[in-house]
Amino acid sequence: EGTGIILTAYLILGIFMAYLYPLVYKGGRPTVEGLKFGMIIGLLWVFPHQLLAAGAHGSSISYVLKNAVLHMFEQGIGGIIIGIIYGRQLMAEKS
């Protein structure tokens, strides 16, 4: 049950990121832009909610910050992958 929910959450996040990336891509190297995009998504995905939870439950702020950095790294990799795929599509369309 727990693993299924986690996989579902990542599937939803991946679809969301793949949908949004072409809308916010303004040019430049797709991999670099994908990294930036993924890092922003990673921060937005967890930081506000966990900060709220830390305030409500007295959790450690250092944990919230470490987790935000981890998700920025994690989603940054996802953004690079999306950027590579999107960049290849752009190259194919230009050919």
Side-chain angles (χ1 to χ4, degrees):
E1 183 178 299
T3 303
I5 293 171
I6 291 169
L7 291 174
T8 301
Y10 275 106
L11 178 65
I12 292 168
L13 179 64
I15 291 168
F16 179 68
M17 287 176 67
Y19 173 77
L20 275 182
Y21 181 77
L23 299 176
V24 300
Y25 177 71
K26 304 259 189 270
R29 294 179 44 203
T31 52
V32 173
E33 296 302 313
L35 174 64
K36 291 178 197 175
F37 171 72
M39 290 178 76
I40 291 169
I41 292 293
L43 184 65
L44 292 175
W45 188 36
V46 297
F47 185 67
H49 175 264
Q50 287 197 334
L51 192 59
L52 176 72
H57 303 291
S59 301
S60 167
I61 296 296
S62 65
Y63 170 78
V64 171
L65 295 175
K66 286 182 215 172
N67 201 35
V69 170
L70 170 70
H71 279 83
M72 289 173 68
F73 175 76
E74 187 177 288
Q75 302 323 314
I77 292 170
I80 289 171
I81 293 168
I82 291 169
I84 289 169
I85 293 168
Y86 185 70
R88 287 183 182 161
Q89 280 185 318
L90 286 178
M91 296 288 280
E93 289 174 4
K94 288 180 182 180
S95 300

